[in-house]
Amino acid sequence: MAAAPTLAERLRAGEKLVSAWSGLTDPMISEMLGRSGFDAVTLDMQHGFHSTESVQRCIGGIALSGRPAIVRVPVGRFDMASRALDMGAEAVIAPMVNSLADARAFAAAMKFPPIGQRSWGPGRAIELSGASESGAYLSSANRGTLSFAMIETREALALLDDILAVDGIDGVFVGPADFSIAWSGGADVDPTLEDMMGAIESIAVRAQKSGKLSAVFAADPSFGRRYHEMGFNLVATAPDTACLAAGAATFLALAKK
Ligand code: 3PY
Ligand code: MG
């Protein structure tokens, strides 16, 4: 039986995918998100509660659901980016990449030589990826795993083409909440701010022109289709906390009806 296509293969083939978003640290929760039909599950270490240990455990839960895991590391934690790959993540998102130095450091942590300086130790990743042996993993990992640099400030937007040109950066990931704070000069936080949607669309268009991928967080899930139509390859939505709250409220309302 042919192996299922990886996240990288599906995105590069032009599929429009949707990832769920996990901030809660129990592996059953991330497994359930994977079983709900999302194309991937993202574990958030920046604002969610995930730790090194919970990422390690939750990647196992997500693997049980047959889905790929993505990890968002905390700001500047490029060491954790390598560890997330070692633990079997298929993609890593680095927040607040606001300089070329950040982008290069992230790429270096994510890619083995000659592109970067990732250090060898992917035991768990080899098991989960189904690679037959070390050499097979080494030769496929640089292309098979994805690095997404977050664009969520005006500095990052100004540097977009340079960030996209960094060897080892596979794509960019827009954070519309932080972007709205930057866009409004600190006056507002509104990830659906209409006034900035043209700028957000231009990020997807420029990524595509440079042959790289683009992704975006949709706080409002009804933006999913719109973002895909703008050209984004991947939309992340459905935080587990919001799913739980919305599901519980629905049950309660129905029980009282
Ligand atoms: C943002 O919208 O700023 C994000 O980082 C999404 O999680
Ligand atoms: Mg952000």
Side-chain angles (χ1 to χ4, degrees):
M1 200 172 72
T6 63
L7 180 66
E9 286 167 341
R10 293 185 70 191
L11 288 171
R12 291 202 180 103
E15 283 193 63
K16 301 286 186 186
L17 304 185
V18 181
S19 174
W21 195 262
S22 159
L24 299 175
T25 59
D26 191 296
M28 272 191 71
I29 296 174
S30 32
E31 180 185 332
M32 284 169 77
L33 289 173
R35 289 191 192 282
S36 302
F38 289 94
D39 300 297
V41 180
T42 302
L43 305 171
D44 183 17
M45 301 181 79
Q46 184 194 14
H47 296 300
F49 300 112
H50 282 288
S51 62
T52 309
E53 289 73 19
S54 72
V55 165
Q56 182 253 321
R57 286 184 284 110
C58 289
I59 288 177
I62 297 165
L64 274 179
S65 77
R67 300 293 171 184
I70 303 171
V71 174
R72 178 165 76 170
V73 297
V75 175
R77 285 292 311 279
F78 303 130
D79 62 323
M80 186 62 217
S82 304
R83 276 174 81 59
L85 293 181
D86 286 350
M87 290 174 185
E90 289 195 27
V92 176
I93 302 164
M96 291 286 176
V97 172
N98 292 331
S99 68
L100 261 183
D102 288 344
R104 288 186 184 128
F106 177 43
M110 289 289 291
K111 304 296 176 187
F112 290 116
I115 297 175
Q117 293 161 3
R118 182 179 167 196
S119 165
W120 184 255
R124 181 69 169 147
I126 290 176
E127 287 168 0
L128 292 180
S129 70
S132 50
E133 38 80 36
S134 299
Y137 183 81
L138 177 62
S139 60
S140 63
N142 281 356
R143 186 148 172 88
T145 57
L146 298 172
S147 55
F148 284 100
M150 284 196 79
I151 304 297
E152 41 188 356
T153 63
R154 284 184 184 269
E155 297 95 298
L157 183 63
L159 282 171
L160 179 64
D161 293 328
D162 295 330
I163 292 172
L164 283 165
V166 172
D167 202 10
I169 295 293
D170 298 299
V172 287
F173 190 113
V174 179
D178 278 308
F179 199 81
S180 70
I181 296 177
W183 198 254
S184 66
D188 202 3
V189 53
D190 175 3
T192 65
L193 198 66
E194 205 44 54
D195 186 47
M196 67 181 186
M197 286 300 151
I200 288 184
E201 180 168 12
S202 76
I203 296 173
V205 170
R206 284 156 71 185
Q208 196 171 11
K209 271 198 188 126
S210 69
K212 302 265 169 114
L213 299 168
S214 63
V216 59
F217 186 81
D220 176 345
S222 70
F223 270 60
R225 176 183 289 267
R226 183 173 175 189
Y227 282 141
H228 278 152
E229 285 173 359
M230 285 182 186
F232 286 98
N233 305 95
L234 174 70
V235 172
T237 190
D240 46 13
T241 44
C243 292
L244 192 56
T250 303
F251 267 81
L252 183 60
L254 288 173
K256 286 187 170 177
K257 201 163 156 182

